[in-house]
Amino acid sequence: MFRKSRIAVVTGSASGIGAATAKLLADRGYRVIGVDLRKADVIADLATPDGRQKMVEQVTRLSRGKLDAIVANAGGGPAETSVQLNYFGAVATLEGLRPLLAKSKTPRAVAVSSIASLRPPQAALVEACLKGDEAAALIIARQVWDEANAGGGAVEGGLALYGNAKYALNRWCRTHAATTEWAGAGILVNMVPLGFYDTPAAAYILQNKEARAAMGAGVPLTGSFPGRPEEAAKLLAFLISPDNTQLTGQILYADGGYEAKARGEFL
């Protein structure tokens, strides 16, 4: 127990994995500041620049200018705002709140990614994201959406945008974690691409028998499909705890072996 001595921000805290993580951290003695579109300490839309700024300002006020941990969990959402939320919203959370982490003795951050990041990336979209050029990224995203829809429908288009945003987020971690601003300041930051979890956001897929069977067939670990939000929460909680003293810049797949099966010996 930390006896309310550690302060953590959890985005997407109103439901699913975010809610499970916020509860677990509170049970372990954290003071949790939840961020979401509803039922949260901070109501903000991280898919928009104004919402991101509002989030930073209100978290700064509520935390009194000091944070110990960030769980950048907010994600998913409709396809039309997928890149804005899943990449730019997550990075704005990490970068915008990083100065508050720098005041902690044991600062930690983690962002939730997805196995959708294993899909073939669109280089131009990913590079626009990594350059921080949101306007260009949205133009390219529209092209990716149109091309994917032409070949496979709206579901394919949504997955293409979501997967590219999460892939770019993984890349962001690999290029920033070891920099002066992060590792050089003693701040550990990691990505956790999740597999198939039983959350409200995934309900529409898991309730489809054919889709559920297809997803389950890709998960080799017996009894792990679908994952429970509480399972993901425990991993996220470890990564932002003082017990994590070495792991940083890592892409940690929590997916029942899906990535290992899909990529084999690839490292």
Side-chain angles (χ1 to χ4, degrees):
M1 292 294 183
F2 300 113
R3 294 175 294 182
K4 303 298 180 183
S5 61
R6 282 180 70 76
I7 304 174
V9 166
V10 179
T11 65
S13 62
S15 65
I17 290 165
T21 303
K23 181 181 184 302
L24 178 62
L25 294 177
D27 290 345
R28 292 184 177 182
Y30 282 78
R31 178 188 164 203
V32 179
I33 300 173
V35 179
D36 212 312
L37 295 172
R38 59 184 177 81
K39 297 181 180 180
D41 303 294
V42 176
I43 306 299
D45 184 356
L46 300 181
T48 68
D50 288 346
R52 299 164 202 158
Q53 181 178 348
K54 178 182 178 182
M55 178 273 298
V56 171
E57 291 173 351
Q58 293 200 14
V59 169
T60 299
R61 177 178 59 83
L62 291 172
S63 68
R64 297 182 179 180
K66 174 182 173 294
L67 280 178
D68 298 289
I70 298 170
V71 180
N73 165 72
E80 55 265 27
T81 58
S82 188
V83 173
Q84 296 98 308
L85 176 60
N86 291 287
Y87 180 79
F88 289 99
V91 170
T93 299
L94 294 166
E95 291 283 19
L97 299 178
R98 179 175 51 80
L100 307 186
L101 284 180
K103 299 177 183 179
S104 171
K105 293 181 179 179
T106 51
R108 308 283 186 268
V110 65
V112 172
S113 182
S114 168
I115 57 171
S117 62
L118 297 172
R119 297 170 62 86
Q122 297 285 338
L125 176 54
V126 172
E127 292 305 318
C129 288
L130 293 172
K131 290 177 180 178
D133 192 340
E134 189 165 359
L138 296 185
I139 292 173
I140 300 168
R142 182 75 247 182
Q143 297 170 348
V144 171
W145 167 264
D146 290 342
E147 291 173 4
N149 277 355
V155 172
E156 180 63 26
L159 283 173
L161 296 182
Y162 180 67
N164 272 272
K166 292 299 191 181
Y167 176 76
L169 186 60
N170 293 348
R171 287 269 307 274
W172 177 93
C173 179
R174 295 295 292 176
T175 57
H176 286 75
T179 62
T180 301
E181 292 78 13
W182 289 90
I187 307 173
L188 283 66
V189 58
N190 294 284
M191 297 289 125
V192 177
L194 297 176
F196 305 109
Y197 282 74
D198 191 3
T199 66
Y204 79 101
I205 297 178
L206 291 174
Q207 289 172 1
N208 181 302
K209 291 184 179 180
E210 292 183 359
R212 186 184 180 100
M215 291 186 294
V219 179
L221 182 62
T222 301
S224 68
F225 173 85
R228 301 188 307 275
E230 295 76 13
E231 294 173 314
K234 290 177 182 178
L235 175 57
L236 298 173
F238 165 73
L239 290 171
I240 64 162
S241 76
D243 291 334
N244 175 23
T245 59
Q246 293 289 334
L247 276 172
T248 194
Q250 300 306 303
I251 314 300
L252 302 166
Y253 290 88
D255 59 3
Y258 181 96
E259 181 267 343
K261 179 179 179 180
R263 299 209 293 181
E265 296 181 2
F266 178 82
L267 294 175

